[in-house]
């Protein structure tokens, strides 16, 4: 069995002061840094949207952030403009140790489809390529940490279980957006799917 640490979206825009700030989001940084040496492989994801991305409320006439719209692939939450490719807010938190990251998976770059999961876009079928990378590297067990617990972390954990990986959620190294019961719902789904929560 080979294990990998997946560091999810530890970016400026998801930290206090950022465009889509998660409460206490930067608290994950020292925790994730401290975990890295326990893993032979470290992989990071980076939310990476083109300007005018379809998940931004500002890209839809009269739409407010944190409302939903129907996309061809299903219901999509509309977000404030965040993690625009090359912007300061899209950068990893400056204190996040990145030297050991063997791979950075950028996601959400397709203008027409959002991508919460590290494995599939929000149509739940277009792959990012991470599955093949991990399988090629002999990885069978994944530990996940980062932002946000109820969106990108949860979608990644659920997809990873579906793909047959052992999944552990390092809950104290995650922080949530937690809107309208989204955290409780995500935690229930992850427990149901067999995600180990520590
Ligand atoms: C995320 C909303 C929009 C996340 C990314 O990283 O959880 N959430 N884009
Ligand atoms: Zn995003």
């Amino acid at each position: 069995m080979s294990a990998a640490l997946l560091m999810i979206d530890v970016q400026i825009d998801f930290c206090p002061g950022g465009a889509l700030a998660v409460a206490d989001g930067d608290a994950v940084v020292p925790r994730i840094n401290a975990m890295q040496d326990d893993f032979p492989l470290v992989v990071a994801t980076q939310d990476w949207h083109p300007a005018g991305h379809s998940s931004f409320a500002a890209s839809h006439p009269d739409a407010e952030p944190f409302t939903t719209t129907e996309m061809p692939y299903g219901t999509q939450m509309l977000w404030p403009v965040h993690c625009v490719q090359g912007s300061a807010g899209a950068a990893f938190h400056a204190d996040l140790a990145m030297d050991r990251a063997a791979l950075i998976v950028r996601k959400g770059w397709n203008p027409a489809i959002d991508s919460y999961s590290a494995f599939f876009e929000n149509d739940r079928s277009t792959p990012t390529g991470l599955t093949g990378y991990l399988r090629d590297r002999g990885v069978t067990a994944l530990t996940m940490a980062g932002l946000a617990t109820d969106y990108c972390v949860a979608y990644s954990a659920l997809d990873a279980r579906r793909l047959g990986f052992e999944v552990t959620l390092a809950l104290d190294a995650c922080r949530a957006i937690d809107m309208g019961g989204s955290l409780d719902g995500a935690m229930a789904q992850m427990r149901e799917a067999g995600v180990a929560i520590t």
Side-chain angles (χ1 to χ4, degrees), residues 112-195:
I113 312 182
D114 204 4
S115 187
Y116 298 148
S117 165
F119 297 94
F120 295 101
E121 296 185 352
N122 281 10
D123 60 6
R124 312 312 291 266
S125 62
T126 306
T128 62
L130 180 59
T131 312
Y133 176 85
L134 294 173
R135 287 189 178 145
D136 269 0
R137 298 289 310 265
V139 173
T140 55
L142 292 170
T143 294
M144 303 201 183
L147 305 170
T149 322
D150 41 348
Y151 282 91
C152 291
V153 176
Y155 276 67
S156 298
L158 292 169
D159 279 346
R161 286 296 299 142
R162 253 193 298 279
L163 292 162
F165 293 97
E166 239 176 77
V167 181
T168 301
L169 179 74
L171 190 57
D172 69 340
C174 298
R175 289 295 181 275
I177 294 173
D178 197 13
M179 266 184 324
S182 57
L183 180 59
D184 285 348
M187 293 300 294
Q189 277 188 287
M190 286 191 279
R191 285 201 183 89
E192 171 96 356
V195 174

Side-chain angles (χ1 to χ4, degrees), residues 5-132:
L5 174 65
L6 201 48
M7 311 190 291
I8 299 182
D9 297 5
V10 185
Q11 292 167 258
I12 298 290
D13 270 343
F14 297 124
C15 290
L20 179 39
V22 176
D24 204 27
D26 51 352
V28 307
V29 173
R31 292 165 191 237
I32 292 175
N33 286 346
M35 292 168 67
Q36 290 192 12
D37 282 344
D38 296 336
F39 294 87
L41 180 66
V42 176
V43 169
T45 68
Q46 190 171 27
D47 209 40
W48 195 248
H49 301 302
H53 190 257
S54 57
S55 75
F56 299 161
S59 306
H60 301 261
D62 302 322
E64 292 295 323
F66 308 110
T67 61
T68 59
T69 191
E70 292 308 313
M71 299 287 212
Y73 55 82
T75 303
Q76 170 71 46
M77 179 71 74
L78 294 175
W79 302 105
V81 174
H82 67 280
C83 296
V84 173
Q85 295 170 358
S87 68
F92 292 109
H93 190 290
D95 297 332
L96 182 69
M98 284 300 293
D99 289 356
R100 285 207 52 227
L103 177 75
I104 298 170
V105 179
R106 286 175 165 170
K107 58 184 184 61
W109 46 261
N110 181 336
I113 312 182
D114 204 4
S115 187
Y116 298 148
S117 165
F119 297 94
F120 295 101
E121 296 185 352
N122 281 10
D123 60 6
R124 312 312 291 266
S125 62
T126 306
T128 62
L130 180 59
T131 312

